[in-house]
Amino acid sequence: MVQGDDLGMCRAVNEGTELAATEGVLTQTSVMAPTPWFAEGAAMAKRIGVPVGLHVTLTCEWDFLRWAPLSPAPSLRGADGTFHRTVEDAATAVPGEAIAEAHAQADRAVALGLQLTYVDPHMGVSVVPAYTAICERFGVKFIYRPLEPHHVWTSLIILSLAPLEDRAAWFVERLEQIGAGTHFVLSHPAVSSPELRAITSEDAPNADWAEPIRVADLEALCDPAARKLIERRGIELVGVRDLD
């Protein structure tokens, strides 16, 4: 299973996700309902038929690309009215407010015609009851441990943490090494663009997560060598909707 996170965050991510799904090996994508380009991302996901999960978004990590809760949620907001920047700060939110926000995000996804097949967190787990509430509402599983119920993977391959240089070759090597089982590849594809480079300051600690990591992920997912290896080894590409 090959997942791309952050659909809706910006247009470069939407474009990269579509390319990864139509020309690469991406099999599902996690959507961010409070973000500026979510409506376009949702329309694209429906048009090409890529399965989606709700990327419950309780944080916003960028300097200049800022988004706010869809619900009142004062405990989820920083001084500027947008989400807190870190998982640690988000974890201090009032649980009831985080649950209401998660439902508001799910409501928007459903209103835009999406069928949610799983739930996962943006940046990391902060307010556990918020994720649990959405899993229960839609009868789906959480992607990661330790929440219950969760999907179980034979291995987790985090493409976004692989070496930037020749990431595509690294990906092919990892695919060559996997054995029988259900394997999960996590990625963050996007196309190179001035928009993507402008979402945070150049000296920000997470600057690599703005463009370099995402563009390298897209290149790896669309590398013809990866497709050829998958076909040669008989690896089945699936989404979580195919597993239960």
Side-chain angles (χ1 to χ4, degrees):
M1 189 193 75
V2 185
Q3 178 172 304
D5 280 1
D6 299 350
L7 188 72
M9 185 185 91
C10 61
R11 189 132 204 280
V13 169
N14 291 354
E15 291 183 72
T17 302
E18 180 170 2
L19 285 172
T22 57
E23 300 182 15
V25 298
L26 192 83
T27 62
Q28 67 184 34
T29 183
S30 297
V31 302
M32 302 176 73
T35 54
W37 284 88
F38 175 60
E40 186 204 45
M44 178 275 289
K46 290 191 298 178
R47 173 168 49 81
I48 69 173
V50 63
V52 305
L54 188 66
H55 205 47
V56 176
T57 302
L58 304 178
T59 52
C60 180
E61 67 270 42
W62 308 112
D63 288 339
F64 309 129
L65 175 62
R66 306 294 304 158
W67 51 79
L70 298 178
S71 61
S75 66
L76 283 170
R77 298 173 185 267
D80 67 349
T82 63
F83 279 111
H84 297 298
R85 291 174 179 264
T86 68
V87 172
E88 291 75 19
D89 285 341
T92 66
V94 175
E97 292 182 4
I99 292 170
E101 173 61 23
H103 278 296
Q105 294 179 19
D107 289 345
R108 188 178 185 209
V110 171
L112 290 177
L114 297 180
Q115 180 179 357
L116 302 175
T117 61
Y118 64 92
V119 175
D120 67 358
H122 178 55
M123 295 178 64
V125 172
S126 54
V127 186
V128 169
Y131 313 110
T132 302
I134 305 305
C135 288
E136 291 176 350
R137 172 177 170 180
F138 292 96
V140 299
K141 296 179 181 178
F142 198 68
I143 282 290
Y144 307 110
R145 295 182 175 91
L147 274 70
E148 297 290 350
H150 63 262
H151 289 280
V152 177
W153 314 109
T154 307
S155 72
L156 171 60
I157 300 171
I158 305 179
L159 184 62
S160 302
L161 297 182
L164 277 174
E165 185 176 352
D166 211 358
R167 181 167 292 178
W170 181 93
F171 185 41
V172 168
E173 182 179 354
R174 290 301 304 270
L175 292 175
E176 186 72 76
Q177 294 171 352
I178 63 173
T182 304
H183 305 271
F184 177 26
V185 177
L186 180 62
S187 68
H188 298 77
V191 299
S192 177
S193 75
E195 173 204 35
L196 198 56
R197 291 190 291 276
I199 66 175
T200 203
S201 54
E202 294 182 358
D203 58 353
N206 62 342
D208 280 352
W209 279 94
E211 185 179 60
I213 286 172
R214 295 171 191 272
V215 171
D217 277 7
L218 178 60
E219 292 173 351
L221 294 175
C222 292
D223 186 356
R227 173 70 70 177
K228 289 180 181 178
L229 184 145
I230 287 168
E231 293 174 353
R232 175 174 59 80
R233 295 203 63 202
I235 296 172
E236 182 182 4
L237 293 172
V238 300
V240 294
R241 68 179 181 183
D242 304 311
L243 300 178
D244 296 325

